[in-house]
């Protein structure tokens, strides 16, 4: 057989080497002439060499600067969302129509789907299972080479991940060293060759039989550059695909102080309110996650929902014990708030999300609502309350109040149709849920400042509220701003004097309670110290609500 070397510059040196050794050892290989010719032709084919060139340049780039890391893996879903938003506008604006047509184009959609498949690593071929012809006792060994990593796990310079993106442990049954966890996006995961449960036989030629995980870690720490593992593969089906779930954390987690985390360096610290991308829930106690929007592609360990729930229940039980001594009722929170699945909610101009101002009585929510409505009366509306009292001269039904009979109002209250209600001087007053919904349907922005207990009724897929917590500043600032503006105490029925120190303390006390009970539901916090600034922040929040996709409970879209 004659070997014709490719001369046009696309010849890959590694393939050339392979071809040479094939020629050199033809006689020693027990294969037919046809088979050898086929292999030889394949190794010389232009297509294979071009493919290698592409592969090599991708690998070089990934290793160079990781520019190939995807920003997101749901571009097709976002495209569909954008098309939904554009649809009602295509008859109104030429630009919207053009963009809609572009996004509708099958080639563009095909490109985005391909992008998402690559970003989700959904490209590995699914090969049929290898027939089990070999001897039962014979074990397959795989040799895997990884480049030792020094990349930080979560942006902190001194927290290097466990070297190759995998953790190891001793198998309780047979005392062997096995792969305990493969961190998504880490070197081991990217190789696609190391799976949970694989038994480690050798590291850099050193037999690890009888060694402890700490000994193996030492070998890894002292290795430079490439690390070679000899592994006995576990169940080949264990290569799990990455989940797409995003959650908002309702608690703080600090890997440095958590007493239970199996490997501190592999943990991912986060703060309450942060959105996390859960990439694996394979382990019932420790999930793997990365921070949403974090370009660092490596995942870290976080407590699973079940583990965190257990922790909270345990804490509450010990608080309940203390309560017997201190009589505090702060452990009484109903929710066990751990993680909430979230999705990005796109603004829908025909159904603007209502703004709900939550805060302690007297903090200034009423004043903020009044001023924002005064600034833009055609945009913001607040529901007209219901009352069972008779109209006074000059009062118009539906303007100051919706005047209804006491019987009807009592029936509606019993049916749970009121967000809040109360009795004053023998008459019922309240705000109905329907009055909020009718403002939403009208396309205006509903703004309300209900009692915090109304939050449960409001936080539903029908209403989709944007909850802003109006927080009081510390005592001294609260006192000086209110006294400086000659603010009238709302604790005094006649509204004819300023706030007392006790009342300022009451505002702060009730703010603590609201935060304890509901802070996991706040979409935004505005501190009402300087009134003008607080009002500006409220206007900015509304602008964001109308123009940006924002995280909201996933259950609202189902
Ligand atoms: N940042 C501020 N600086 C000075 N005075 C303020 C500020 N915010 C509110 N006030 C004043 O405080 C008083 C109480 O405010 P408001 O009437 O809004 O309270 P409220 O209705 O009891 O409270 P909320 O509606 O928040 O439960 C009003 O006189 C208001 O003008």
């Amino acid at each position: 057989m004659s070997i014709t070397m490719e001369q046009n510059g696309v010849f890959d040196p590694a393939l050339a080497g392979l071809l040479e050794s094939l020629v050199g050892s033809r006689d020693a290989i027990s294969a037919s002439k046809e088979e050898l010719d086929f292999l030889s032709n394949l190794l010389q084919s232009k297509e294979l060499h071009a493919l290698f060139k592409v592969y090599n340049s991708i690998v070089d780039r990934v290793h160079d600067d990781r520019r190939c890391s995807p920003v997101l893996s749901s571009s097709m879903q976002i495209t569909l969302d954008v098309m939904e938003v554009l649809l009602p506008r295509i008859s109104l604006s030429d630009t919207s129509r053009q963009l809609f047509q572009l996004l509708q184009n099958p080639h563009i959609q095909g490109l985005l789907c391909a992008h998402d498949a690559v970003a989700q690593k959904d490209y590995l071929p699914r090969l049929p299972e290898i027939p089990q012809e070999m001897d039962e006792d014979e074990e397959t060994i795989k040799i895997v080479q990884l480049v030792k990593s020094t990349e930080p796990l979560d942006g902190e310079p001194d927290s290097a991940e466990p070297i190759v993106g995998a953790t190891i442990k001793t198998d309780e049954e047979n005392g062997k060293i096995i792969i305990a966890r493969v961190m998504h996006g880490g070197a081991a995961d990217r190789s696609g060759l190391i799976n949970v449960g694989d038994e480690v036989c050798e590291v850099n030629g050193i037999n690890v039989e009888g060694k402890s995980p700490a000994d193996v870690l030492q070998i890894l720490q002292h290795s430079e550059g490439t690390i070679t593992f000899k592994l006995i593969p576990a169940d080949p089906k264990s290569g799990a695909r990455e989940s797409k779930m995003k959650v908002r954390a309702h608690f703080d987690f600090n890997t440095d102080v958590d007493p239970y985390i199996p490997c501190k360096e592999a943990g991912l610290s986060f703060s309450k309110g942060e959105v996390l991308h859960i990439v694996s829930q394979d382990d019932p106690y420790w999930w793997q996650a990365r921070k949403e929007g974090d370009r660092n592609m490596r995942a870290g360990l976080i407590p699973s929902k079940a583990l965190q729930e257990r922790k909270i229940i345990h804490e509450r039980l010990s608080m309940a014990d203390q309560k017997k001594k201190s009589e505090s009722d702060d452990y009484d929170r109903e929710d066990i708030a751990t993680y909430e699945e979230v999705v990005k909610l796109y603004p829908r101009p025909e159904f603007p999300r209502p703004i709900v101002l939550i805060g302690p009585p007297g903090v200034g929510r009423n004043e903020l609502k009044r001023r924002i409505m005064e600034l833009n009366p055609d945009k913001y509306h607040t529901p007209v309350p219901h009352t069972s009292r008779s109209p006074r001269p000059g009062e118009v039904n539906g303007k100051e109040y919706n005047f209804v009979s006491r019987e009807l109002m009592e029936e509606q209250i019993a049916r749970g149709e009121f967000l809040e209600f109360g009795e004053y001087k023998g008459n019922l007053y309240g705000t109905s849920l329907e009055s909020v919904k009718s403002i939403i349907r009208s396309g205006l922005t509903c703004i309300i400042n209900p009692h915090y207990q109304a939050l449960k009724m409001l936080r539903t897929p029908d209403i989709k509220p944007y909850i802003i917590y109006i927080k009081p500043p510390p005592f001294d600032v609260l006192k000086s701003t209110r006294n400086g503006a000659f603010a009238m105490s709302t604790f005094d029925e006649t509204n004819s004097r300023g706030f007392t120190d006790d009342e300022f303390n009451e505002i702060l006390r009730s703010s603590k309670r609201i935060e304890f009970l509901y802070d996991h539901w706040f979409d935004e916090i505005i501190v009402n110290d300087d009134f003008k600034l607080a009002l500006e922040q409220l206007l900015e929040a509304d602008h964001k609500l109308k123009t940006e996709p924002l995280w909201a409970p996933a259950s609202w879209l189902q």
Side-chain angles (χ1 to χ4, degrees):
M1 187 195 70
S2 67
I3 305 292
T4 49
M5 298 293 275
E6 182 62 54
Q7 296 300 325
N8 63 2
V10 292
F11 209 89
D12 181 85
L15 286 181
L18 207 56
L19 188 62
E20 252 172 55
S21 52
L22 178 69
V23 175
S25 49
R26 257 181 97 92
D27 297 339
I29 301 171
S30 58
S32 70
K33 182 177 178 304
E34 288 74 38
E35 284 169 335
L36 289 170
D37 284 349
F38 172 80
L39 189 57
S40 171
N41 288 337
L42 180 72
L43 292 174
Q44 293 175 82
S45 74
K46 265 187 198 171
E47 290 78 8
L48 187 67
H49 288 273
L51 206 59
F52 257 70
K53 210 172 168 196
V54 172
Y55 172 80
N56 286 338
S57 45
I58 290 176
V59 169
D60 282 351
R61 260 172 180 258
V62 171
H63 284 162
D64 271 1
D65 56 9
R66 313 184 87 216
R67 259 181 300 171
C68 291
S69 303
V71 175
L72 48 82
S73 57
S74 55
S75 56
M76 192 56 219
Q77 184 54 46
I78 291 178
T79 306
L80 295 176
D81 291 341
V82 171
M83 286 169 71
E84 194 187 319
V85 175
L86 287 174
L87 193 59
R89 291 183 187 69
I90 52 179
S91 55
L92 307 173
S93 137
D94 212 32
T95 325
S96 300
R97 188 180 48 74
Q98 280 176 16
L99 181 57
F100 189 85
Q101 281 172 347
L102 192 68
L103 296 178
Q104 219 182 7
N105 182 316
H107 296 106
I108 298 280
Q109 292 194 356
L111 192 67
L112 293 173
C113 284
H115 166 274
D116 290 349
V118 174
Q120 291 163 23
K121 299 202 213 156
D122 198 8
Y123 46 72
L124 299 174
R126 287 160 205 263
L127 300 174
E129 286 197 11
I130 298 166
Q132 299 278 318
E133 278 171 16
M134 58 189 182
D135 190 335
E136 284 279 287
D137 296 334
E138 195 182 314
E139 282 169 323
T140 318
I141 299 264
K142 58 182 174 184
I143 295 172
V144 181
Q145 284 198 323
L146 297 179
V147 177
K148 184 173 171 176
S149 164
T150 50
E151 297 151 16
L153 180 65
D154 59 356
E156 290 164 32
D158 53 349
S159 73
E161 85 144 349
I163 307 168
V164 288
T167 58
I168 46 173
K169 66 174 182 187
T170 309
D171 188 324
E172 282 170 17
E173 278 176 22
N174 55 23
K176 299 197 166 153
I177 300 279
I178 56 167
I179 302 289
R181 200 174 263 118
V182 175
M183 313 307 295
H184 276 259
D189 180 39
R190 290 198 302 268
S191 78
L193 297 169
I194 297 186
N195 294 314
V196 171
D198 285 356
E199 183 189 324
V200 185
C201 305
E202 279 180 19
V203 177
N204 278 355
I206 304 169
N207 190 332
V208 300
E209 202 179 331
K211 291 199 189 309
S212 70
D215 298 333
V216 177
L217 214 62
Q218 278 231 322
I219 304 175
L220 291 173
Q221 273 157 355
H222 291 120
S223 316
E224 291 293 332
T226 312
I227 300 176
T228 307
F229 290 91
K230 205 181 255 190
L231 304 162
I232 298 179
D235 179 4
K237 292 181 211 112
S238 56
R241 292 283 154 111
E242 192 170 295
S243 115
K244 289 184 196 167
M245 188 162 95
K246 312 275 166 76
V247 297
R248 198 201 301 252
H250 288 331
F251 61 99
D252 298 321
F253 175 67
N254 184 348
T255 174
D256 290 333
V257 297
D258 188 276
Y260 309 108
I261 188 154
C263 173
K264 273 195 198 315
E265 293 78 5
L268 178 72
S269 300
F270 56 80
S271 309
K272 188 189 280 190
E274 278 192 276
V275 174
L276 307 170
H277 177 176
I278 308 292
V279 293
S280 163
Q281 297 181 340
D282 295 346
D283 187 305
Y285 296 119
W286 294 96
W287 288 351
Q288 291 184 36
R290 60 172 80 94
K291 290 191 184 178
E292 178 58 19
D294 192 344
R295 293 202 166 222
N296 183 339
M297 291 299 286
R298 213 111 27 108
L301 295 183
I302 62 166
S304 70
K305 191 175 164 64
L307 179 64
Q308 187 58 22
E309 278 174 358
R310 273 202 211 173
K311 252 198 229 172
I312 294 175
I313 291 168
H314 178 75
E315 275 165 18
R316 286 193 194 170
L317 288 174
S318 43
M319 275 169 93
D321 278 349
Q322 281 170 15
K323 190 206 165 192
K324 285 187 195 118
K325 292 167 205 144
S326 72
E327 285 308 309
S328 143
D329 66 347
D330 268 359
Y331 76 96
D332 277 344
R333 183 149 113 178
E334 286 170 39
D335 270 17
I336 298 186
T338 54
Y339 303 106
E340 182 174 40
E341 191 176 350
V342 288
V343 288
K344 280 262 170 101
L345 207 61
Y346 285 77
R348 294 180 64 191
E350 66 282 26
F351 294 115
R353 289 174 65 186
I355 296 175
V356 178
L357 304 179
I358 287 296
V363 75
R365 292 175 302 151
N366 214 19
E367 189 68 8
L368 282 167
K369 182 180 83 173
R370 195 180 65 73
R371 291 286 281 278
I372 200 172
M373 285 171 52
E374 201 175 75
L375 285 174
N376 210 332
D378 298 333
K379 189 170 168 193
Y380 302 104
H381 267 214
T382 196
V384 174
H386 284 59
T387 181
S388 64
R389 85 157 159 74
S390 323
R392 296 193 181 124
E395 282 184 338
V396 180
N397 187 25
K399 192 166 174 233
E400 289 83 6
Y401 288 100
N402 290 306
F403 295 100
V404 289
S405 71
R406 188 175 181 101
E407 294 71 41
L408 179 63
M409 202 160 158
E410 275 174 348
E411 269 173 35
Q412 291 176 330
I413 290 171
R415 286 202 296 266
E417 292 173 13
F418 273 78
L419 265 183
E420 54 182 353
F421 57 89
E423 190 154 357
Y424 181 68
K425 292 191 176 167
N427 296 305
L428 291 172
Y429 292 84
T431 306
S432 76
L433 200 57
E434 180 48 36
S435 61
V436 172
K437 289 185 184 168
S438 77
I439 298 179
I440 301 173
R441 284 195 298 269
S442 74
L444 294 164
T445 301
C446 176
I447 179 157
I448 46 173
N449 55 327
H451 189 273
Y452 61 83
Q453 280 164 351
L455 274 186
K456 273 191 206 127
M457 260 180 107
L458 283 166
R459 204 171 181 271
T460 63
D462 285 0
I463 311 273
K464 298 188 178 63
Y466 189 72
I467 299 169
I468 303 180
Y469 174 55
I470 309 298
K471 187 180 167 82
F475 183 90
D476 289 346
V477 185
L478 185 65
K479 185 171 172 175
S480 65
T481 47
R482 273 48 179 187
N483 288 349
F486 302 103
M488 289 298 144
S489 166
T490 46
F491 292 77
D492 171 40
E493 271 196 21
T494 58
N495 228 246
S496 56
R497 59 163 175 82
F499 289 92
T500 64
D501 281 4
D502 279 352
E503 289 167 349
F504 287 134
N505 276 321
E506 181 49 37
I507 294 177
L508 292 169
R509 234 189 331 270
S510 90
S511 74
K512 293 267 166 317
R513 175 130 191 91
I514 298 174
E515 283 167 34
F516 177 76
L517 291 169
Y518 294 111
D519 67 354
H520 54 292
W521 282 353
F522 301 160
D523 291 297
E524 186 149 349
I525 296 176
I526 296 177
V527 178
N528 185 15
D529 42 17
D530 181 292
F531 186 81
K532 221 172 124 225
L533 281 183
L535 186 63
E536 267 168 31
Q537 282 177 49
L538 184 56
L539 285 162
E540 269 167 32
D542 182 47
H543 179 71
K544 195 167 67 179
L545 196 56
K546 303 272 185 318
T547 51
E548 284 175 30
L550 299 172
W551 293 109
S555 56
W556 288 1
L557 286 192
Q558 278 151 16

